[in-house]
Amino acid sequence: MEYTPVSSFRRPISAVQLERQAQADRPVTTEISKWDALRKLAAARQHFNLSDRDLTVLQALLGFHPETALGADNPPAIVYPSNKAICERLNGMPCSTMRRHIARLVDAGMILRRDSPNGKRYVRRNGGAKLAYGFDLTPLAVRFEEFCQIADRLEQAEARRSRLREMVSLMRRDLAGYVDYGISQHPDLPLWDRMSDLARLTARDLRRKLSIGELTRLSAEMTAALEEVIAAIDLPETEELSTSDAGIEQHHQNSDKEYIDRKKTKVEPKAAPVQASDANVSRTHRPPPLKQVLESCKEIQSFSQASVRHWEDLIRLSDVVSPMMGIAASVWQEAKCRLGREQAATTLAAMLERFSEIKSPSAYLRSLGQKAEMGLFSCGAMIRALQARAV
């Protein structure tokens, strides 16, 4: 029975390395492309504290393996190039630098050392049998599913972070616009200096790559600031918006018609109308089936860690997302009263699909609620417009 060593006596072995050695020695039943493994690891590299240079060295090692597939019935994935050959493949990288990156790959468990008795890398053939000493690439096949799961999680988190950053940026822009308008009305209010500083500091913060936690904090600050500023200014009447199927579609495609000018908007009294239950909402105001809503509105689902399966799930999720969109708490409560909770949640989800085209989400949602009370709005039109756009 052949014995395959992990390391020579000159190189100490840790308990983690022994565990990874045992893991790599287990048979891999699934065939994995070495390049697919590299791509997934590249997407998940931050989780493993690997640099792009580490992956460049790993790519060079993969190039020495003649087969594309790893695992299953393929030959053992052990490569045995010399240090000189590796450095040449890396366009003349210094040997000391190359060894440092290989050590990082070994420590991270991406490759294993299969050292010969004298520490050299080579292959020995005995008839049809082959015994190779060098770098074992098998962990890439063994850990492929792990790479995929981590890469998907990081991609979802980055997508969520990107959307949250966009929301904060739009809210900051709206805050700056409201401040300018407020100064023209009541120039002596000390509120404007504080809000102007907040908008300026937020713009400075957005130049950095902020975490989801930092962006969530900024979103809460912007929401509170917008509510305070809107309460301090006098806004004129709300411009009427068409809510027919054609009107909704044209409304989203034309950013000029989408815009609810701050100078043409009036904040209604904060007292909300009598609470309306979903059961009392007019039949013409009932939302489309939940499945239809979820198929058309993917963005809001990305903010939920669990699957959205019931109307209550979507309503609770809308309560969380509405302040992130810059919608004042009073406006959101009013929308749920006027539209009913299910239709309000559907409307919010549809608005999020076109969020970058809506200049003032609070004013837009308030206008739709007013139209719903007059029987002139149904969120089904918004869903049908999204479906038509997707075709």
Side-chain angles (χ1 to χ4, degrees):
M1 178 178 177
E2 294 281 1
Y3 171 69
T4 306
V6 186
S7 175
S8 70
F9 64 90
R10 297 179 301 175
R11 225 186 309 266
I13 307 173
S14 67
V16 174
Q17 287 175 317
L18 287 174
E19 181 180 352
R20 288 170 180 161
Q21 160 73 23
Q23 186 182 36
D25 286 340
R26 300 190 192 110
V28 182
T29 57
T30 306
E31 184 176 277
I32 304 298
S33 167
K34 62 183 181 182
W35 304 123
D36 287 344
L38 181 64
R39 279 190 289 269
K40 286 298 181 180
L41 179 57
R45 67 180 177 84
Q46 292 181 345
H47 177 83
F48 298 104
N49 295 319
L50 294 175
S51 68
D52 54 347
R53 298 274 280 176
D54 296 330
L55 296 185
T56 299
V57 174
L58 179 58
Q59 182 178 5
L61 293 179
L62 288 172
F64 287 104
H65 186 54
E67 305 293 333
T68 300
L70 303 175
D73 297 326
N74 293 285
I78 298 178
V79 295
Y80 37 89
S82 65
N83 287 348
K84 180 181 179 181
I86 298 174
C87 291
E88 288 176 351
R89 188 70 61 93
L90 292 167
N91 300 316
M93 176 183 287
C95 189
S96 58
T97 303
M98 179 273 294
R99 289 199 302 267
R100 184 171 66 251
H101 288 301
I102 284 182
R104 287 173 59 86
L105 291 170
V106 171
D107 291 341
M110 303 306 154
I111 61 175
L112 291 173
R113 296 183 187 272
R114 303 284 191 179
D115 284 353
S116 65
N118 62 3
K120 301 294 184 180
R121 296 188 288 273
Y122 60 89
V123 61
R124 186 176 67 194
R125 302 178 186 277
N126 185 8
K130 182 176 78 171
L131 180 61
Y133 298 101
F135 299 115
D136 191 346
L137 306 174
T138 306
L140 295 176
V142 173
R143 304 181 66 180
F144 180 71
E145 288 300 323
E146 179 188 357
F147 299 159
C148 292
Q149 293 173 6
I150 293 173
D152 290 345
R153 187 169 70 243
L154 291 177
E155 287 172 2
Q156 291 172 8
E158 178 58 25
R160 182 185 174 196
R161 191 197 68 81
S162 179
R163 285 190 294 269
L164 193 53
R165 186 189 183 284
E166 181 183 6
M167 287 183 182
V168 171
S169 179
L170 291 172
M171 292 164 71
R172 185 214 63 80
R173 183 193 63 187
D174 283 351
L175 179 63
Y178 279 128
V179 167
D180 290 342
Y181 182 60
I183 291 175
S184 68
Q185 285 190 330
H186 309 291
D188 297 331
L189 282 182
L191 173 66
W192 310 131
D193 287 339
R194 178 162 58 87
M195 292 303 171
S196 181
D197 288 343
L198 178 59
R200 179 175 53 81
L201 292 173
T202 302
R204 186 188 66 183
D205 289 340
L206 288 173
R207 297 192 193 109
R208 300 185 290 111
K209 185 171 182 179
L210 302 176
S211 66
I212 289 179
E214 291 172 322
L215 288 169
T216 301
R217 175 184 58 79
L218 285 178
S219 175
E221 289 181 1
M222 288 291 103
T223 300
L226 285 168
E227 290 187 8
E228 188 175 355
V229 167
I230 290 173
I233 59 180
D234 304 319
L235 297 171
E237 284 296 329
T238 302
E239 190 178 74
E240 289 295 323
L241 296 173
S242 170
T243 54
S244 66
D245 288 2
I248 288 290
E249 183 64 20
Q250 181 183 21
H251 174 78
H252 282 301
Q253 290 178 350
N254 189 329
S255 60
D256 292 334
K257 294 184 180 180
E258 176 86 50
Y259 183 60
I260 302 175
D261 198 297
R262 298 182 184 91
K263 296 183 180 180
K264 296 181 180 179
T265 308
K266 180 179 180 180
V267 175
E268 298 292 334
K270 287 193 175 182
V274 177
Q275 177 72 37
S277 66
D278 292 333
N280 295 329
V281 177
S282 168
R283 182 178 299 274
T284 60
H285 289 169
R286 296 297 296 173
L290 178 61
K291 181 180 179 181
Q292 185 180 1
V293 175
L294 297 179
E295 288 175 349
S296 303
C297 305
K298 305 291 187 182
E299 289 293 322
I300 195 168
Q301 299 175 63
S302 66
F303 288 89
S304 177
Q305 296 182 350
S307 299
V308 178
R309 300 181 181 276
H310 308 286
W311 279 112
E312 286 300 324
D313 297 336
L314 184 61
I315 292 167
R316 284 193 296 268
L317 184 57
S318 300
D319 291 337
V320 173
V321 173
S322 60
M324 298 180 184
M325 297 173 63
I327 296 174
S330 58
V331 174
W332 176 236
Q333 184 61 33
E334 180 181 316
K336 289 195 290 186
C337 292
R338 286 177 165 171
L339 298 170
R341 296 186 307 148
E342 292 179 2
Q343 186 171 210
T346 301
T347 301
L348 186 87
M351 288 173 59
L352 188 58
E353 291 296 309
R354 303 282 182 81
F355 185 72
S356 62
E357 304 169 20
I358 300 177
K359 308 301 182 185
S360 180
S362 280
Y364 182 37
L365 183 60
R366 186 187 291 277
S367 174
L368 296 182
Q370 292 169 349
K371 284 182 173 292
E373 282 197 328
M374 296 184 289
L376 300 177
F377 170 73
S378 171
C379 62
M382 301 181 76
I383 297 301
R384 289 191 292 274
L386 290 174
Q387 290 174 328
R389 186 175 182 177
V391 173

